[in-house]
Amino acid sequence: MAPQRSQRKDTRPRIGLALSGGAARGMAHVGVLRAFEEHSIPIDMIAGTSAGALVGGVYAAGLSIDEIEELGRSLHWRDVGRTTISRLGIQSNARMEKLLRARLPVTRFEDLRIPFAAVATDLNSGEPVVLSGEGDLAFAIRASCCVPGWYIPVADAQGRQLVDGGLVANIPVSYARDLGADLVIAVDVNAEGAKFLGAPHSIIGILLQTTMVVQRTAAIYQLGTADIVVRPRVGHIRWDEMARADELMSAGYDAAIETIDEIRVLLANQSKPTSRWYQLRRYRRRVDAPRL
């Protein structure tokens, strides 16, 4: 699908957010968005994985920060999944799609106020599936949040079985670049890992913690390609603790505030995009250009 691009008349770099997966910890992304809004940090496009796709998608669709906070405080696991009889998973997360259709002002990628991409994983090929540009937003978010082993894989129109995008790109920096971002701010809600936690208290907690441990090695590389990284201090909160939404959002806000000056310096010094990634992209285009 062709990527969306924001329409701009100024010459500042285009800023993209790459929002990580992290289950309940993803509520920290809401605090990050609030901090950026309050300090007039422009967001031109968003790429999100799993919980990052949920928060980024509803924001791109037009929900205000207050509305997203209210949604986060009221959300429970039973609101997004229900137990079902299947050999492929314990629950279906169809309830998440239904909830989104009821709450979002728009549910098509074509109608979003901010270009957005949700990352899922093709369970059969192991390849990333980037949902963007056109199509059903609620379905895309549901697919990106489909924790394998817990939720039944989601089938798309091509017959692919889609599961959580965190398996292949938990920090979707490259997909924010593909949307047209010159500078990418990555938000990693798993930066502190689980070092402050005891054993998980539920089956889904075990699955989530196992998944996050596996993802950490790939995340190190993905974070290295971002221009700025926001690291909310939420290592003391388990990935299944939805009831701690206020604490998570506060942690995201505080972590984002710490990066505001750095972001402003980058914007002030770059009337045209000059990030390391941009320079490398320009070099590659020159090398790969056809010779006459």
Side-chain angles (χ1 to χ4, degrees):
M1 297 179 182
Q4 297 167 305
R5 295 185 181 271
S6 57
Q7 299 299 314
R8 303 163 49 253
K9 294 183 180 180
D10 56 278
T11 59
R12 66 166 176 79
R14 290 169 292 190
I15 297 179
L17 287 185
L19 304 182
S20 76
R25 287 183 179 180
M27 290 300 166
H29 293 313
V30 185
V32 173
L33 291 171
R34 178 173 286 283
F36 288 166
E37 276 200 358
E38 289 182 357
H39 290 79
S40 301
I41 302 300
I43 302 302
D44 298 296
M45 59 277 297
I46 301 173
T49 296
S50 197
L54 175 59
V55 175
V58 300
Y59 185 70
L63 286 189
S64 69
I65 295 297
D66 287 341
E67 290 171 321
I68 301 173
E69 286 185 350
E70 184 276 325
L71 177 61
R73 293 187 184 101
S74 64
L75 199 63
H76 300 87
W77 288 109
R78 64 177 178 271
D79 298 321
V80 298
R82 66 175 180 84
T83 303
T84 187
I85 299 175
S86 174
R87 293 178 298 175
L88 302 179
I90 296 171
Q91 290 193 346
S92 163
N93 68 343
R95 283 184 176 178
M96 173 180 285
E97 189 173 339
K98 183 178 180 180
L99 174 68
L100 292 171
R101 294 193 191 287
R103 299 293 292 269
L104 295 182
V106 298
T107 58
R108 300 285 301 177
F109 278 96
E110 298 92 326
D111 300 323
L112 298 180
R113 68 184 182 93
I114 299 174
F116 170 71
V119 183
T121 303
D122 183 332
L123 185 59
N124 296 319
S125 70
E127 295 294 323
V129 176
V130 183
L131 303 165
S132 184
E134 60 183 13
D136 190 333
L137 175 66
F139 172 86
I141 295 173
R142 174 190 172 192
S144 185
C145 295
C146 191
V147 180
W150 183 258
Y151 293 127
I152 299 169
V154 179
D156 68 1
Q158 287 75 45
R160 296 175 295 190
Q161 290 185 308
L162 304 183
V163 294
D164 197 298
L167 296 178
V168 289
N170 202 46
I171 316 286
V173 174
S174 64
Y175 301 111
R177 304 278 191 204
D178 288 344
L179 288 173
D182 302 309
L183 297 176
V184 175
I185 303 169
V187 185
D188 181 14
V189 300
N190 303 304
E192 293 188 317
K195 61 183 179 181
F196 302 120
L197 303 179
H201 293 185
S202 65
I203 295 174
I204 191 171
I206 292 173
L207 285 169
L208 291 170
Q209 189 157 323
T210 302
T211 301
M212 297 304 168
V213 169
V214 172
Q215 292 169 357
R216 291 198 70 185
T217 300
I220 293 172
Y221 168 77
Q222 293 159 5
L223 288 167
T225 64
D227 297 283
I228 292 176
V229 180
V230 180
R231 297 180 173 90
R233 299 179 181 89
V234 294
H236 59 292
I237 299 177
R238 296 194 313 271
W239 288 280
D240 58 343
E241 291 190 283
M242 278 194 179
R244 300 177 73 173
D246 279 321
E247 190 175 350
L248 287 160
M249 291 186 283
S250 178
Y253 182 90
D254 292 342
I257 290 296
E258 294 175 1
T259 67
I260 296 296
D261 289 343
E262 184 181 1
I263 295 169
R264 286 177 172 162
V265 167
L266 280 177
L267 289 174
N269 292 338
Q270 297 189 37
S271 59
K272 294 183 179 181
T274 57
S275 68
R276 286 174 297 173
W277 175 87
Y278 178 83
Q279 296 287 5
L280 179 60
R281 181 177 65 171
R282 187 172 60 178
Y283 171 77
R284 284 176 174 169
R285 284 180 175 174
R286 185 170 67 247
V287 169
D288 294 341
R291 298 181 179 181
L292 301 179

